[in-house]
Amino acid sequence: MFAKLTALVGGGSGLNFNIDGQQYEQAWGFWTHHSGTSKEAGSPVSVFKIASADPNDVKLVAARNGVKRLRMLRHPNILAFKDSVEVQEKNVTIIYLVTEAVKPLATVLKELNLTGQHRDGYLSTGMLHMTNAVSFINNSCNMIHGHLCMEAVVVTETLDWKLQGFDLLSEHQLPGDFALKHSSWLVGSQYKPAEVAKQDWDAVRQGPPWAVDSWGLGCMMQEVFSGQPLTAVEQLRRTDVIPLALLADYQKLLNSQTTRRLNPAKVAESKFLNNKLVEVVAFMENIAVKDSAEKDTFFKRLPTMIPAIPEPVAVRKLLPLLSRALEYGGAPASAVGSLMLIGRMLEGDEFIKRVVPSISRLFGSSDRNLRRNLLESIDSYGHHLTQEVVEVQIYPPLSAGFNDENAYIRELTLKAVLILAPKMKQSTLTQNLLKHLSRLQVDNEPSIRANTTVLLGNIAQYLGDTYCKKVLLNAFGRALKDSFPPARVAALRALVATAKYYSPDEMACRALPTVAPLCVDQLADVRSAALACLDTFEELLKENDTKLQKEAAAAAAAGNQGAAAAGPAISISNSGGMLGWAMSSLAASSAAFVGSSAAASIAPAAVATVPSAAVSSSALGPSAAPAAVAAHRTSSTGGGGIGISTAAASGGRGGTASKGGDTGALQLASSSASGAQDGWDKDFDDMDNGLDTAEQEVREKTYIGFSLSGGGFVVCSVEVCQ
């Protein structure tokens, strides 16, 4: 409706408030009710406006009285005054009244849409606020409000009811030109008691100061519980909408005799109005004057009382009270549980708006018990936190718990990080958190060491591959040597969980040597975890072997066309290591020689193998002619064959080696392709010289000699003479 209040008041003289476009449907008397904001603080306010072309209009006179009276009244249940101004705008006199931000009661009840016991509980709490406000005006100020109805009630953001509409406020003795006399026409006939309707002001003076307002309080009660505005005085006879516990008081408020009408202060003592919600709110509002025993008793009962409180009231009223009490030390640390219980009623943005600011401030507290309760309940709010909130407001104070002298706090801090890690930056995890975890892996408390390993295994996915390869195996290797069995089990299970981050080389050369000894651990749980870990790595290594074989086959298939130029592929049997492979080739060659009585050519790229166990001194005994065996050679003139030479029995020698150094160590010897036959003879002679040495140590080392002859790869197997 309006953009800025200064545009309305003109001349630059005005208020430091803006009027928003929203105008509420309900308002008291001739006022209009608008929402607004403060220019300085940006906080919400309410702006009430009344205008007339005649500056002496009765309604403007009454409005000036209302503004003056409100400025002087201070009570928790009376609308809070902020500012006011009267201006001329295009020959129209306008009065602006600025107050705390409120909404009409009818609008709020429609938004809340409460039913059943929650509705009765909230309405009775609101009526208690109104009876307290009216009692304050009548009994403490000795004044008369003069126009009590549902429109005279407004509601704050925290769902507190506030009394407004003081245009007719007058002293009880009605001295001089009182507002109630000249402005009573503003009051609808359905709200007027008989003495006011008849303008019997003497009866008003002679009656108690609450007589007029007791009648108005009864009218308000009828509208509130029926949910409908009062249109005729006959509606006051409807008692079915009034709660049974309030019916007697309701009837006394509407007594036809002024002297017998019930004092609002007595209504405020009703058990129905003083329900659990009132008890909880009253205690929280006065917590500063409660002793420790009362606080402990109250907060032990509070979690059981919260379900009986309407959810909107718990969120908008009780939650802020709890937050303030915790922040300023009024509530014990156990109140965090109630705070989280209410927080569970919220979702998404609402939780971030209403709960997260309190949590972030509470984490900065030096109270260890408070921090403990926050950490214990982090699973109920951790998933609501955003990365920005965690990085800026939560993690910095939380990380101090890693160095806390209390072991339980350190352990709770570890567990909290498990929930917060997905919301943290990788740089924070790797550059800050890992330093703390490194220290905690050697903590004095065994459970902390074990939980550190568990945490590291769980957050590995957020560290990145580079840091996983750099950190995990070292950390888990340390934990595998821990004297605390659960720490070793945790490390074994963490290795399994993070296996995807290790290369086959790391599994075989680093992980397996540290895991294998635990397969014979004294504790069954450790052995079971170690065996499971070995099974996992075995499967992964088998998968790697299959992959390598497929790659080799594919490479061989692709290289078939260039086999003549590149030389043959070499197939190696894996039954018995290097010496076993040579001996099995030797047996195959001997069998071929005996069967053919001549040098047998071995096809390129093919080697016959038999199990190494089949080769023994009996198989190559004296029955084999030494000369024939020694003379046997298999050569390849094409540069691509594989030749195998053997010598057995007492005087046989074979091999291709050269004697080198004082120790008689054998070195690789080679011969040219043009003289392969002569080269092999020379190689055998060198081998003989090496084996004839008197040093037993050298003879034992003379096993295999290699000769690269004409591009071929010649392997000679030797049986050492004792």
Side-chain angles (χ1 to χ4, degrees), residues 525-683:
D525 289 344
V526 178
R527 295 195 302 271
S528 177
L531 292 171
C533 184
L534 289 180
D535 289 342
T536 300
F537 285 153
E538 180 185 7
E539 290 298 321
L540 293 173
L541 291 173
K542 286 181 178 179
E543 292 177 4
N544 179 68
D545 178 62
T546 303
K547 176 184 176 183
L548 293 178
Q549 289 184 15
K550 290 181 179 179
E551 291 176 354
N560 279 340
Q561 295 178 355
I570 301 175
S571 176
I572 298 178
S573 171
N574 58 3
S575 59
M578 179 66 75
L579 184 59
W581 173 80
M583 294 296 288
S584 33
S585 298
L586 168 65
S589 178
S590 299
F593 171 74
V594 172
S596 62
S597 301
S601 298
I602 302 176
V607 178
T609 63
V610 296
S612 60
V615 180
S616 63
S617 59
S618 60
L620 299 173
S623 59
V629 174
H632 171 63
R633 295 173 180 82
T634 303
S635 64
S636 173
T637 59
I642 299 178
I644 302 177
S645 299
T646 178
S650 60
R653 296 291 184 268
T656 302
S658 63
K659 182 177 179 181
D662 295 335
T663 61
L666 300 180
Q667 298 180 351
L668 294 180
S670 62
S671 59
S672 64
S674 61
Q677 295 276 346
D678 296 337
W680 289 348
D681 289 338
K682 186 178 183 301
D683 293 339

Side-chain angles (χ1 to χ4, degrees), residues 97-154:
L97 171 63
V98 183
T99 69
E100 61 182 318
V102 289
K103 292 181 179 181
L105 176 59
T107 301
V108 173
L109 293 179
K110 185 177 180 180
E111 291 175 353
L112 297 180
N113 193 28
L114 299 175
T115 58
Q117 294 182 350
H118 283 174
R119 178 180 182 272
D120 290 343
Y122 178 63
L123 295 182
S124 60
T125 301
M127 286 305 305
L128 177 64
H129 292 166
M130 291 300 96
T131 56
N132 286 333
V134 174
S135 176
F136 169 75
I137 292 172
N138 297 154
N139 296 295
S140 300
C141 301
N142 201 31
M143 302 180 78
I144 302 172
H145 182 279
H147 189 8
L148 293 176
C149 59
M150 191 169 177
E151 289 182 347
V153 183
V154 288

Side-chain angles (χ1 to χ4, degrees), residues 381-548:
Y381 62 83
H383 61 284
H384 289 290
L385 303 177
T386 62
Q387 185 184 77
E388 180 181 1
V389 170
V390 172
E391 288 281 340
V392 177
Q393 303 179 35
I394 302 297
Y395 180 73
L398 179 142
S399 62
F402 290 121
N403 301 316
D404 197 286
E405 62 182 18
N406 187 294
Y408 186 55
I409 297 296
R410 297 199 301 273
E411 187 167 3
L412 286 176
T413 305
L414 272 177
K415 295 177 180 178
V417 171
L418 183 61
I419 296 175
L420 298 181
K423 307 293 182 69
M424 296 169 64
K425 295 179 180 178
Q426 188 180 101
S427 58
T428 304
L429 293 172
T430 55
Q431 298 174 19
N432 186 286
L433 178 62
L434 288 182
K435 295 179 182 179
H436 293 297
L437 298 186
S438 178
R439 288 195 299 270
L440 292 178
Q441 257 207 319
V442 293
D443 195 273
N444 293 330
E445 291 293 328
S447 61
I448 292 180
R449 299 198 300 269
N451 283 328
T452 301
T453 302
V454 172
L455 174 63
L456 194 56
N458 278 281
I459 67 172
Q461 57 185 312
Y462 310 115
L463 300 178
D465 291 346
T466 301
Y467 275 91
C468 284
K469 292 181 179 297
K470 183 187 301 184
V471 172
L472 296 185
L473 279 178
N474 292 332
F476 298 152
R478 175 192 290 179
L480 289 174
K481 301 174 184 178
D482 198 296
S483 60
F484 187 51
R488 300 199 296 274
V489 173
L492 290 166
R493 292 177 178 172
L495 281 170
V496 173
T498 58
K500 64 181 180 180
Y501 298 109
Y502 315 133
S503 67
D505 288 344
E506 290 174 323
M507 292 182 196
C509 301
R510 295 184 61 189
L512 291 181
T514 58
V515 171
L518 297 182
C519 294
V520 292
D521 195 276
Q522 293 181 352
L523 294 180
D525 289 344
V526 178
R527 295 195 302 271
S528 177
L531 292 171
C533 184
L534 289 180
D535 289 342
T536 300
F537 285 153
E538 180 185 7
E539 290 298 321
L540 293 173
L541 291 173
K542 286 181 178 179
E543 292 177 4
N544 179 68
D545 178 62
T546 303
K547 176 184 176 183
L548 293 178

